[in-house]
Amino acid sequence: MMSSKMKKQPISGYGVSKVLRSRHPDFKEGDLVWGITGWEEYSVIKDPHALIKIQYTDVPLSYYTGVLGMPGLTAYAGFYEICSPKKGEHVFVSAASGAVGQLVGQFAKLAGCYVVGSAGSSEKVNLLKNKLGFDEAFNYKEEHDLDAALKRYFPAGIDIYFENVGGKMLDAVLLNMNIHGRISVCGMISQYNLENLEVEGVKNLFCLVTKRIRMEGFVVMSDYNELYPKFQELAREYLKQGKIVYVEDVVEGIENGGAALVGLFSGRNVGKQVVAVVHE
């Protein structure tokens, strides 16, 4: 039982806010910021270092929860810094229509790579191929043998895998990686809500040895925060030139935030899930 003395706290997450009152010299009334805030209409921020002031408002403010925020930096650092792509390499992205995956695929195309993404519906597959520029995409729910599916899309093997889901997909990818392949581990959403006894084991890890694969996990705001200014300028330029696009799934009202969060784990969202509390 929860103690009656325990104070209930709102969920925290990345959001865009307007400063209404400030005692900090770096922030003044009216400033727009993005960073960690509460899931609430008004928040008291005691650690302003968790916030970044928004300097450019020539894009939708919601982009600072996605393409110009933490997901964008995640895609940039995980792909360029960890995977070190080379022109002509073969790239696979799981959860490819999500907040991060959709950008990784577009960065891969800009780097001259062949890129395939997996997603959980025909609508998302069409989005990847027809709007986001992936060379190919497939619905993993329709594939009874993921190893066979990957061999079909990557007959010459996979050089780079951007990992978002874990479990059976990771196990199949390991069998299809090329020698000196790189795996950037962003997340493993298929495993997040499983009980300990349900978590899927990965059986093909010895491929890391035989194929000399480099597999590295990262926490972007801890490991690559200093890259944000450089990334922001690049991403803004790509957006202005139409070299990248960004897909959002907007839910109206904070009262619908819980349902939107739960929907992420069943793949109901298409693109970056955003909850609009109020419009600027």
Side-chain angles (χ1 to χ4, degrees):
M1 292 179 62
M2 181 180 293
S3 169
S4 60
K5 295 181 180 180
M6 290 181 66
K7 185 179 179 181
K8 293 181 179 179
Q9 298 288 341
I11 296 174
S12 62
Y14 284 95
V16 173
S17 304
K18 176 186 276 189
V19 177
L20 299 181
R21 196 173 300 169
S22 174
R23 294 178 181 175
H24 194 282
D26 293 344
F27 300 93
K28 65 181 187 299
E29 181 181 336
D31 282 347
L32 295 168
V33 296
W34 75 267
I36 298 287
T37 63
W39 285 30
E40 53 195 354
E41 293 178 323
Y42 300 92
S43 289
V44 176
I45 306 298
K46 297 181 180 180
D47 180 14
H49 297 97
L51 300 176
I52 296 175
K53 192 181 296 187
I54 293 174
Q55 298 176 328
Y56 306 104
T57 57
D58 55 346
V59 295
L61 291 179
S62 59
Y63 277 16
Y64 289 94
T65 69
V67 59
L68 293 177
M70 183 273 289
L73 183 59
T74 298
Y76 175 84
F79 183 63
Y80 290 110
E81 296 293 318
I82 293 177
C83 295
S84 302
K86 302 178 185 68
K87 185 177 180 179
E89 289 193 310
H90 295 178
V91 178
F92 177 49
V93 186
S94 56
S97 67
V100 176
Q102 61 174 297
L103 290 171
V104 174
Q106 292 179 83
F107 289 156
K109 289 305 300 176
L110 288 169
C113 298
Y114 169 81
V115 59
V116 176
S118 65
S121 71
S122 57
E123 177 188 9
K124 293 178 181 179
V125 168
N126 288 334
L127 175 72
L128 293 173
K129 293 197 294 185
N130 299 324
K131 184 167 184 175
L132 298 176
F134 284 60
D135 293 292
E136 285 290 351
F138 65 90
N139 182 348
Y140 70 90
K141 294 179 181 178
E142 295 179 348
E143 300 291 345
H144 301 295
D145 185 337
L146 291 173
D147 177 32
L150 291 172
K151 282 182 168 56
R152 191 166 72 244
Y153 287 101
F154 293 99
I158 300 169
D159 298 302
I160 292 172
Y161 173 44
F162 199 94
E163 165 69 302
N164 283 311
V165 300
K168 295 175 182 176
M169 184 65 82
L170 173 58
D171 226 15
V173 167
L174 287 169
L175 293 175
N176 289 276
M177 290 296 295
N178 286 330
I179 291 176
H180 297 302
R182 288 86 73 203
I183 300 176
S184 179
V185 185
C186 171
M188 295 189 175
I189 196 169
S190 73
Q191 308 299 293
Y192 292 164
N193 292 326
L194 301 180
E195 299 294 334
N196 287 338
L197 294 177
E198 298 175 318
V199 173
E200 296 171 332
V202 178
K203 295 177 278 188
N204 297 319
L205 283 174
F206 195 58
C207 291
L208 296 175
V209 178
T210 59
K211 299 181 179 186
R212 285 84 85 195
I213 298 166
R214 180 161 58 84
M215 182 173 177
E216 182 177 341
F218 67 105
V219 178
V220 71
M221 299 310 285
S222 298
D223 300 333
Y224 295 104
N225 192 40
E226 73 281 359
L227 293 181
Y228 181 72
K230 176 183 175 182
F231 156 72
Q232 180 182 224
E233 290 304 313
L234 177 72
R236 287 184 67 248
E237 196 60 33
Y238 279 166
L239 286 167
K240 280 196 288 186
Q241 295 176 8
K243 290 183 176 180
I244 59 173
V245 296
Y246 200 63
V247 178
E248 297 179 315
D249 191 331
V250 181
V251 170
E252 296 287 339
I254 195 170
E255 67 277 7
N256 295 313
L261 175 61
V262 171
L264 284 173
F265 296 101
S266 59
R268 287 212 305 263
N269 62 302
V270 178
K272 165 65 179 175
Q273 183 69 73
V274 178
V275 177
V277 178
V278 65
H279 290 276
E280 174 66 16

